[in-house]
């Protein structure tokens, strides 16, 4: 279970509430979870991408350790 980090910028407050309920906000708009499994990570991304599709604006990036890709970092 690799570390997962989500970075948000200029998004609605609902993102902050949702991410803050499951991850630690280590800086404004930067959330980390030390051992998030792939299933949970995919569920979180589904929620975030759905909201972004509906609301637009801002940006959301998710990264995690992935030894199966170049650089060992999934985005």
């Amino acid at each position: 279970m690799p570390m997962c980090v989500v970075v948000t910028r200029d998004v609605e407050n609902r993102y902050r509430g949702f991410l803050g309920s499951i991850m630690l906000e280590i800086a404004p708009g930067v959330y980390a979870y030390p051992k998030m499994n792939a299933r949970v990570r995919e569920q979180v991304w589904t929620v975030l991408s759905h909201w972004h599709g509906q609301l637009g604006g801002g940006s959301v990036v998710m990264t995690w350790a992935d030894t199966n890709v170049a650089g060992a970092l999934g985005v």
Side-chain angles (χ1 to χ4, degrees):
M1 289 185 274
M3 166 75 85
C4 180
V5 175
V6 176
V7 179
T8 64
R9 189 173 124 194
D10 299 327
V11 294
E12 301 280 337
N13 285 334
R14 69 170 63 183
Y15 290 83
R16 184 174 195 170
F18 173 67
L19 290 169
S21 72
I22 56 174
M23 302 175 83
L24 178 64
E25 187 172 15
I26 57 176
V30 180
Y31 303 85
Y33 194 94
K35 294 184 179 181
M36 184 177 286
N37 67 45
R39 186 174 117 327
V40 173
R41 185 181 71 238
E42 290 167 7
Q43 289 176 334
V44 169
W45 185 251
T46 297
V47 170
L48 298 177
S49 60
H50 177 74
W51 286 349
H52 194 267
Q54 288 184 326
L55 302 170
S59 63
V60 181
V61 175
M62 177 184 280
T63 66
W64 63 93
D66 185 348
T67 58
N68 297 315
V69 298
L73 185 65
V75 178

